[in-house]
Structures are given as structure tokens and as C-alpha cells.
Amino acid sequence: MFSALRRARWPICPAAPDGTASITWTPSRSGWHRLTVRGVTRDGTVTQPREHSFTVRESKPSITSYLYSEYDPMGGIGVPGSFRFSSELPSTVEFVYQLNDGPEQTVAVTDGTAADLTVTPDRGFRNTLTVRSRSASGELSPAATFVFTVSTSPTVGSTTYPYGETSGGAGVPGVFTFTPRMPNVQTYVYQFDNGPETTVPAGPDGTASVTLTPTEARWYPLSVFAVDAAGNRSDLTYHWFVVQG
């Protein structure tokens, strides 16, 4: 059995004269672990195993967002989102965080070893939030990173044909206003009722308005995206409404 342990490459630790032994082990990951120990007598007899289970704390903070996520574009530039930073380290007193390449900021612990705050993205598409916890002695934890996607889709507004409502009528024109969610918008490209794509220039304030006239009493789709001065396209917005019969 002792030879089998060696073949299985179990680490062997010599015992002291009193039969005890000590080892030093450094965890490579957080979470649940199990240590299994067998004793070996002088004649090579291997004892039954004894197990010791334990959990290693995560040294990096965890980051939770109540609006933003990595894959689904949400919110918008300047739209604040609620976040929660939490730490498994019991001596945490505050968090140091940085949004994209902006300045480092701090927020004090408000709930045990956690803090609730709002973070306002300063750009569309991909944003990166980096967070470290700080202990009462001033020691900083390793950094945790949260990547989230900010929507750049323009908003569409119409008093005659509000989103998702039944209103107006066949032959009744409606004005639709496009408002940007990213800077330096030059044009909008829209498609009404699955027709051809049409481009309309943005005004000095980045908005644009078009007049559309439905011809029948039914539901109509309108899709819009913006294009900035560098040629970057925004996310797509959908606006649908029902024409009253």
C-alpha cells in the first residue's frame, strides 16, 4: 500500500519523533478544498484516510451591477447604474475603483464588507471597471475587473405615435425625433415598415426629425441607428406602434 501511494505520487511528509508532522501549503485558488491524510507505520502499514475540508476566502472583490452586463447593451452614456462591491476579507473598510482610464475613486464600506454606489459610464460600447478592496491597515487586494456594454442606440420619440401604443390613424402623419446616445452624431439611418433604408442628417444638437405617414390601420415597425463623424455605427433602436382603425 505504501508503494502504491508513492506510485500515485502522494506527497510524503516525514513524521517527528512524537509522530506528528507539519506542512506548509499555499492555495492557488479560492473556494472549497479538502485535505486527505494517511499515516504510515514503521513496518509500512498505511492507515485509513482522515479528511479535513475548508474554504479559502476570495481575495478579489466581487462586482454586481443592477443595470449593466457584459453582453447586452444597456443604459447609455451618462446613464448611472447601481453597483455593489463586496469583499470576503473581514478587515475591508473601503474600495478603490477606476472606470476605464479615469481617476481612481474610493467608496467606504456601508454594509458589513460591502458598498453600494452608482457608476456613470463615460463612453458607449465596452466599459471596464476595476476594483480593489482596502483593509484597515491600508493593504490593497488584487484587482477585480468587470466589463460591461453601454448602449449607443438613439432614442425615438413621437407624440402622435408613441412606442407600443394605438393612436393616430391611416393617412395621419407623425413626427419622429431621433436623439443620440453617443457624441458627434452626423447622420441617422432609419427603416420604416421594412422599407428601404433612408439617411437623414443630424442637426447641430445631434438630433433629427422625420415625418412618416402610415397608410393602413395596423402595427408598424421603425428601426434607427446613428453614425458619428468617424463612421462608427450605434446600436440599433426599434420603435413600433399601432395605427388606430
Side-chain angles (χ1 to χ4, degrees), residues 186-206:
Q186 300 294 298
T187 59
Y188 293 92
V189 180
Y190 70 90
Q191 188 176 25
F192 177 57
D193 195 24
N194 299 315
E197 289 189 340
T198 304
T199 301
V200 58
D205 62 352

Side-chain angles (χ1 to χ4, degrees), residues 89-95 107-110 112-115 133-138:
L89 304 180
S91 61
T92 299
V93 295
E94 69 177 4
F95 296 92
V107 58
V109 164
T110 55
T113 55
S133 64
R134 176 178 279 149
S135 68
S137 63

Side-chain angles (χ1 to χ4, degrees), residues 16-17 28 53 81 92 131 142 155 189 202 204 220 229 234 239:
S28 59
S53 298
T92 299
V131 182
T155 61
V189 180
Y220 283 83
S234 75
H239 180 97

